[in-house]
Amino acid sequence: MTATAHRDVSAPAPAHSDVKPHSPAQLVRLVAGREISTRIRDKGFLIGSAVIILLILGMLVFQVVINSGADDTRVGVVGGDSAISGALESQGEALGTNVDVVAFEDEAAARTAVEDGDVEGALLGPSEAQPQLLVESGGGQIDTLVQGALQNLSITTQLDDAGVQLDPPPTVEVVALEADADADLEAAIVALVGVVVLYSLLILFGQFVAQGVVEEKSSRVVELLLATMRPWQLLAGKILGLGLLGLMQMMVIAVVGVVGALAFDVVDLPGRLIGTVVTVIAWFVLGYAFYASVFAAAASLVSRQEDLGSVITPASLLLVVGFVVSIQAAQEPTGTLSTVTSFIPGLSPLVMPVRQAAGGAEWWEVGVSALLMVIAIAVIVRIGGRIYAGALLRTGGRIKLREALAAEKA
């Protein structure tokens, strides 16, 4: 009798995994989150951020100190009266300075105060025929102030003695041909400070992107990453993550700068200040998208940190040129150099904000410049993505652009 084994065909099949593959958007978010968490724990990044904020606050404090001491003049007087004090104070108002009159008992005390720097000058015998002014060195504003005050007081006294009453002099109405010149200058200075921060962050985060690419290539981590995602997803996540981190850092710096400027009262037009800061932040977004793509594509051509400088130097030099031109644009916002460079992608994120703040750019110029920048970003992302994809898995020496593009097509 033969025993026959029967299989239960009705038995359930092995359970399938419920884990679904990540979508492209999810993969990009994962890479972006990894970049943010990695860099935000980096001590160098935190120290650099703190240094920038401290520099901004230091500039504000320095401006307050300069402004607080620039409009005060201390004048010592020996043998004066209320008329002398009033004449000195009135002349100070005409010269745009606040005069603080300090009375001394004798010449010795006044001389000591001048030598110690307690007063800028000391007037001796103002009511005499030949008054004297003690100063450390002649030719300063104190000379003009005291001389003008005594002349006005002498004329007023002689007219009163003669019984002559003069009609009040006419008030001159000042009509500025460029009413917004001061506001434009203030905004241009704010924009220039913002461009300094923008330049620093573009260099910093561009290098972050480049260093991350080389680190992944040299450690072969990129091979594991590309087993689960496409090159463009890795590139997009890296640029997006560091870009969000840079934007957050830029906004923190902007908030500290704006709040500090308003708190220390170093700006006259808060609305203009905020508008300028928003403009700089917007150009940072465009500039970062451009340079991060360039730095990533360039870094994918090498496999060692020692070779990184040779491939990112051209982009770094372009940033330096833009920064130098932006300084010139603050002085001549409508000049040929600043006007032309404000339309060149790569240079415009540094030059155009200064021209806008200084009132040297029309609205259509800003629109054209931004449009050209967006087009350039699209082209750079397309070409840079191909270079990145073609060179990412190739290690060893430096890869030529032609080889990287050919590898991407294969």
Side-chain angles (χ1 to χ4, degrees), residues 38-383:
T38 300
R39 290 299 175 183
I40 206 169
R41 293 195 300 265
D42 182 47
K43 291 183 179 179
F45 170 74
L46 297 177
I47 293 174
S49 302
V51 168
I52 293 177
I53 292 176
L54 289 176
L55 287 175
I56 295 294
L57 292 176
M59 292 176 59
L60 294 174
V61 172
F62 177 76
Q63 188 69 27
V64 170
V65 172
I66 293 298
N67 291 339
S68 63
D71 297 330
D72 294 332
T73 302
R74 290 173 60 86
V75 181
V77 177
V78 177
D81 53 19
S82 60
I84 295 295
S85 298
L88 290 171
E89 292 171 355
S90 298
Q91 185 66 17
E93 292 179 3
L95 296 178
T97 181
N98 297 322
V99 176
D100 182 14
V101 179
V102 181
F104 293 104
E105 295 294 334
D106 50 36
E107 180 180 344
R111 186 180 296 272
T112 301
V114 173
E115 292 175 350
D116 294 341
D118 295 334
V119 294
E120 296 186 28
L123 179 60
L124 308 178
S127 302
E128 299 177 0
Q130 189 64 46
Q132 292 182 339
L133 177 64
L134 301 180
V135 294
E136 286 189 334
S137 60
Q141 185 185 39
I142 186 69
D143 301 13
T144 304
L145 188 151
V146 172
Q147 186 68 35
L150 293 183
Q151 288 179 352
N152 292 336
L153 181 60
S154 176
I155 294 173
T156 301
T157 301
Q158 293 180 49
L159 290 175
D160 289 342
D161 292 343
V164 178
Q165 295 292 331
L166 298 179
D167 294 331
T171 301
V172 177
E173 180 183 0
V174 179
V175 180
L177 298 180
E178 297 183 9
D180 298 330
D182 291 340
D184 289 343
L185 177 60
E186 181 180 277
I189 294 174
V190 172
L192 197 56
V193 173
V195 165
V196 172
V197 177
L198 187 151
Y199 167 79
S200 302
L201 294 185
L202 288 179
I203 287 286
L204 177 65
F205 282 91
Q207 290 180 343
F208 280 168
V209 172
Q211 290 170 359
V213 172
V214 176
E215 288 173 1
E216 292 169 354
K217 286 191 65 175
S218 60
S219 63
R220 311 304 289 266
V221 173
V222 69
E223 296 179 6
L224 299 176
L225 294 173
L226 292 183
T228 57
M229 66 182 67
R230 298 179 64 84
W232 73 264
Q233 295 167 347
L234 179 59
L235 176 61
K238 186 178 295 293
I239 292 177
L240 179 62
L242 291 175
L244 289 175
L245 187 60
L247 182 60
M248 287 188 292
Q249 186 182 26
M250 187 77 172
M251 293 182 68
V252 169
I253 294 172
V255 169
V256 171
V258 170
V259 172
L262 296 178
F264 292 129
D265 195 24
V266 297
V267 293
D268 296 327
L269 298 173
R272 189 75 176 270
L273 168 66
I274 296 174
T276 300
V277 170
V278 171
T279 298
V280 172
I281 293 176
W283 279 106
F284 167 78
V285 174
L286 294 177
Y288 172 79
F290 179 89
Y291 281 103
S293 302
V294 172
F295 275 66
S300 66
L301 299 175
V302 298
S303 302
R304 301 185 307 169
Q305 296 289 349
E306 295 82 358
D307 301 327
L308 185 58
S310 62
V311 293
I312 65 173
T313 295
S316 300
L317 290 178
L318 186 63
L319 273 170
V320 172
V321 171
F323 178 67
V324 172
V325 175
S326 68
I327 297 176
Q328 188 270 345
Q331 301 174 345
E332 297 182 13
T334 58
T336 302
L337 179 62
S338 58
T339 300
V340 172
T341 53
S342 65
F343 291 100
I344 299 177
L347 299 179
S348 55
L350 297 166
V351 181
M352 184 56 81
V354 179
R355 289 195 62 215
Q356 285 183 255
E362 300 292 338
W363 66 267
W364 64 266
E365 293 181 304
V366 178
V368 171
S369 179
L371 178 61
L372 291 176
M373 193 66 188
V374 171
I375 295 174
I377 291 171
V379 173
I380 290 295
V381 168
R382 175 62 178 168
I383 299 176

